[in-house]
Amino acid sequence: MTKVLVISDTHINPSNKDCTYLWSALARYCIIHKPDCIIHLGDVADLDSQAWLVKNRGKYSIVEEIDAVEECVIAFHNVLDSYNRVRKAMKKKMYRPKLVLCLGNHDVRNNITDIDDLFTNFGWTVSPYLEPVQIDGYSFCHSLRNGLSDNMCTTAKELLENWHSNIVVGHGHQRDYHESYSLATNSQIMALKSPCFMLEPSDWAVQTRNKWSLGFTEIDTESGTFIWRDMSCL
């Protein structure tokens, strides 16, 4: 496996009308470019109904929020399934990428398992919050802690200083990159912070919306190269 496509921080909610379109467009993009693995780095949904503060709980129920996520996942898989049905009828190789979800802090609010259960039912491998997934010498996780504190690494440089390996995270909503050198492996190592997979920042991003990076990331683990894509390529 060498080609990995990474999306992160989709923050789906019932009022976001672009979500199903984006997930269908993502599937069509993957059919064309054939990444070996598709990874979602978490914060699939806002899940405001599970916010700690009552004033932040929004106007939707957990059922409505999960239904909105399911619509997106169905839209993604419908495109892949349709493509594979045609390929099967033509007796040609079907496209079956490895699908991985690294749960984010929003996905496990109040210890709910709805997001985990939903993606598992659709055949995704789901990794618990803060537990990295290892693929071809790269660690993928929603976010990682800075040292022994409860604070998360906020920059790619902090990630390398703390974890000393190739690592890719989301969470921060801003893309970032830093590289260093590992004496243990005698090779370059890099840390990436992936952008948000959405057309515009969430409504609640009042003060930070202009700082958000939007798009997704493609990584070639064999060559150690990557590229950030913006949403226009979909």
Side-chain angles (χ1 to χ4, degrees), residues 13-14 59-71:
N13 67 72
K59 58 183 179 180
Y60 300 108
S61 69
I62 182 64
V63 173
E64 292 172 315
E65 291 171 329
I66 296 301
D67 283 348
V69 175
E70 186 172 17
E71 287 181 15

Side-chain angles (χ1 to χ4, degrees), residues 105-147:
N105 52 294
H106 279 254
D107 306 322
V108 297
R109 284 179 161 183
N110 291 331
N111 296 316
I112 61 171
T113 63
D114 302 67
I115 297 295
D116 186 339
D117 296 340
L118 174 62
F119 276 76
T120 297
N121 289 338
F122 276 89
W124 292 62
T125 298
V126 179
S127 178
Y129 177 51
L130 296 182
E131 290 190 17
V133 171
Q134 307 296 329
I135 298 176
D136 281 5
Y138 283 72
S139 299
F140 295 88
C141 198
H142 177 67
S143 57
L144 288 168
R145 289 196 170 100
N146 191 340

Side-chain angles (χ1 to χ4, degrees), residues 43-56:
D43 277 6
V44 175
D46 279 339
L47 298 185
D48 288 338
S49 68
Q50 304 302 301
W52 181 63
L53 295 175
V54 174
K55 67 177 182 178
N56 294 334

Side-chain angles (χ1 to χ4, degrees), residues 28 51 67 80 148 151 210-211:
R28 291 191 291 269
D67 283 348
L80 290 186
L148 299 177
N151 298 324
N210 292 329
K211 297 180 180 180

Side-chain angles (χ1 to χ4, degrees), residues 15-30:
S15 64
N16 190 333
K17 304 301 182 183
D18 298 319
C19 284
T20 53
Y21 158 76
L22 284 180
W23 283 70
S24 296
L26 173 66
R28 291 191 291 269
Y29 184 91
C30 290

Side-chain angles (χ1 to χ4, degrees), residues 3 11 30 35 40 45 87 90 95 99 159-160 165 204 233:
K3 294 171 62 178
H11 288 284
C30 290
H40 194 314
R87 300 289 291 182
M90 297 173 64
Y95 175 53
L99 304 172
L159 284 166
L160 278 188
S165 63
W204 48 262
C233 64

